[in-house]
Amino acid sequence: MAMIEQNISGVKLEKLRQKAEKKTKFLWKMPKVVFVICLLLSMLKPRNIGLFLIFAKGEGIDTGTVLTGILMILGEVMVAFCMAALAFAIYMLFFWKKTYNLFNDNYKNKYVLLKIREVPGFLNLKYVAKQGISFQELSKVKLLPGSAESFFVSQDYFEGIYDTIRFRSSTVETYEPNNSSLAVFEGQVICFSSFHEFKISETAIQIFPKKQNSKMKDMTFHEKVETESEAFNSMFSVFAQDEHNAFYILTPEVMEDIMEFYKIIDNNIYIVFYDRYMYLGCEQMRNPFNAQVDVPIEEQSKKIGMATELIQKARNILIHMENP
């Protein structure tokens, strides 16, 4: 897919959102109305009127009549439910979907890039909604919990330069292989490259919160590392391919930066240093790039800013890498 760089104004996008919001509200109201109308019409059928009169008079009622009445009522309810579901599906496929996709595609492929470019310090930005950082790349460095490619989703890819450092980022979701509805990670993954001209991590170093040990079971490198910082050890688990390399990279200043970032984000983070790269995974409850029909565009643009703010704060971890 080619990188899309067209722009769209917030005013025009807000009009598209309002159209999508109206159709979304109708999409959810319409099946209820169809269900009620179908039930009312069913009551006007001669056989149902006759049955109602029998029950009203209370004469000639036996077990068979009662069962027949119950089955007829259940049948009418099921027919009404099916009609409501059919109406919902038809409206969604032929009316709502086109309007929503027009709004969502413009939001993701045009507006997101426009808003990111407004943030000072970012250069050479590109954004692709349906592209992401690959499963193969992240599994190679063992960054995140979740070991099955079929239960891995990555999208909302954007790349560029921030404060002289090149980065790549995407939203990522991983799920339990035995329960595809149970997410083990939802958030943003960032890869910073060439953080120092000379200092590189010759082997991989893996850092994640201690409380996530169960999620990362069987996904860690073989060397368990205890750093010289008790505060850092109490917060994080560190695994490496080479213990000496871990001490080389995790200087007191770098560990302090990681702890500060962890406190600011106030959510689980996963970090891997490898070669000239720093991989960073930050859990988030909501994808900042997903368009919402019930939230004004001006408010949604603030969430896009949150994604760039995450990159700005993560960049600080590399300051002491550049200036040891």
Side-chain angles (χ1 to χ4, degrees):
M1 181 185 291
M3 298 290 186
I4 299 175
E5 301 188 6
Q6 301 98 321
N7 295 334
I8 185 172
S9 69
V11 174
K12 183 176 180 181
L13 191 62
E14 176 64 17
K15 291 180 180 179
L16 293 177
R17 183 197 70 81
Q18 291 174 357
K19 289 181 180 179
E21 184 179 27
K22 289 179 181 178
K23 289 196 174 182
T24 300
K25 289 179 178 178
F26 184 76
L27 177 69
W28 292 107
K29 288 181 180 178
M30 181 261 296
K32 299 174 185 177
V33 174
V34 171
F35 180 77
V36 172
I37 291 174
C38 288
L39 280 182
L40 292 174
L41 290 175
S42 69
M43 292 181 184
L44 300 177
K45 292 180 180 179
R47 64 176 184 179
N48 292 338
I49 293 175
L51 187 63
F52 177 76
L53 291 175
I54 291 174
F55 280 104
K57 292 178 180 179
E59 298 177 357
I61 299 177
D62 54 23
T63 303
T65 304
V66 172
L67 289 174
T68 300
I70 292 173
L71 291 174
M72 289 177 65
I73 292 172
L74 290 175
E76 297 296 352
V77 170
M78 288 299 297
V79 170
F81 178 82
C82 290
M83 293 299 295
L86 180 62
F88 178 87
I90 291 174
Y91 186 81
M92 182 178 69
L93 291 174
F94 295 100
F95 299 96
W96 174 85
K97 188 175 181 180
K98 182 179 179 181
T99 303
Y100 175 77
N101 285 346
L102 180 63
F103 162 62
N104 191 51
D105 289 346
N106 275 279
Y107 180 86
K108 278 183 167 276
N109 295 324
K110 299 177 183 179
Y111 190 69
V112 166
L113 186 62
L114 176 67
K115 299 308 292 184
I116 294 175
R117 281 176 171 165
E118 292 178 358
V119 181
F122 284 87
L123 300 171
N124 301 338
L125 291 169
K126 296 178 181 179
Y127 171 85
V128 185
K130 296 183 179 180
Q131 182 177 316
I133 298 176
S134 72
F135 172 81
Q136 289 76 14
E137 180 177 359
L138 297 183
S139 61
K140 179 181 178 181
V141 297
K142 299 185 177 182
L143 178 67
L144 301 174
S147 57
E149 185 174 6
S150 56
F151 295 91
F152 174 91
V153 179
S154 182
Q155 58 185 351
D156 295 306
Y157 174 89
F158 75 104
E159 66 175 46
I161 297 173
Y162 175 69
D163 191 20
T164 73
I165 300 294
R166 178 162 292 281
F167 70 89
R168 295 176 293 125
S169 174
S170 72
T171 58
V172 172
E173 298 174 15
T174 62
Y175 297 88
E176 288 281 3
N178 56 354
N179 187 353
S180 60
S181 64
L182 182 61
V184 291
F185 177 88
E186 290 180 278
Q188 194 170 345
V189 169
I190 310 164
C191 175
F192 293 95
S193 58
S194 300
F195 54 78
H196 190 271
E197 185 177 358
F198 303 109
K199 190 169 187 176
I200 67 171
S201 181
E202 294 182 352
T203 55
I205 305 163
Q206 187 182 39
I207 305 160
F208 53 86
K210 276 190 175 295
K211 61 184 178 180
Q212 300 303 308
N213 281 346
S214 60
K215 285 187 177 182
M216 297 297 291
K217 186 178 180 181
D218 301 325
M219 296 188 61
T220 59
F221 294 111
H222 60 274
E223 293 280 354
K224 177 74 170 68
V225 179
E226 291 291 330
T227 72
E228 297 176 354
S229 169
E230 292 185 8
F232 192 84
N233 293 337
S234 66
M235 296 171 67
F236 297 101
S237 292
V238 179
F239 290 85
Q241 292 176 311
D242 178 15
E243 184 178 14
H244 295 290
N245 183 62
F247 285 109
Y248 173 66
I249 294 295
L250 295 178
T251 62
E253 293 85 0
V254 171
M255 288 190 287
E256 189 66 35
D257 291 338
I258 292 173
M259 288 190 289
E260 184 64 25
F261 179 75
Y262 185 42
K263 292 174 184 177
I264 292 172
I265 298 304
D266 194 27
N267 212 332
N268 294 320
I269 63 172
Y270 301 81
I271 300 174
V272 170
F273 292 100
Y274 180 63
D275 195 47
R276 298 182 184 275
Y277 303 96
M278 181 182 78
Y279 289 88
L280 175 66
C282 300
E283 285 192 344
Q284 295 169 301
M285 295 299 293
R286 184 184 290 274
N287 184 345
F289 299 105
N290 275 348
Q292 295 175 265
V293 297
D294 57 342
V295 178
I297 291 300
E298 185 176 349
E299 188 174 337
Q300 293 192 56
S301 65
K302 296 177 183 177
K303 293 190 301 176
I304 300 173
M306 288 170 55
T308 60
E309 186 179 356
L310 190 64
I311 292 173
Q312 291 171 311
K313 291 175 179 176
R315 168 71 177 85
N316 292 336
I317 298 175
L318 300 176
I319 290 175
H320 289 107
M321 288 286 187
E322 300 166 318
N323 304 292

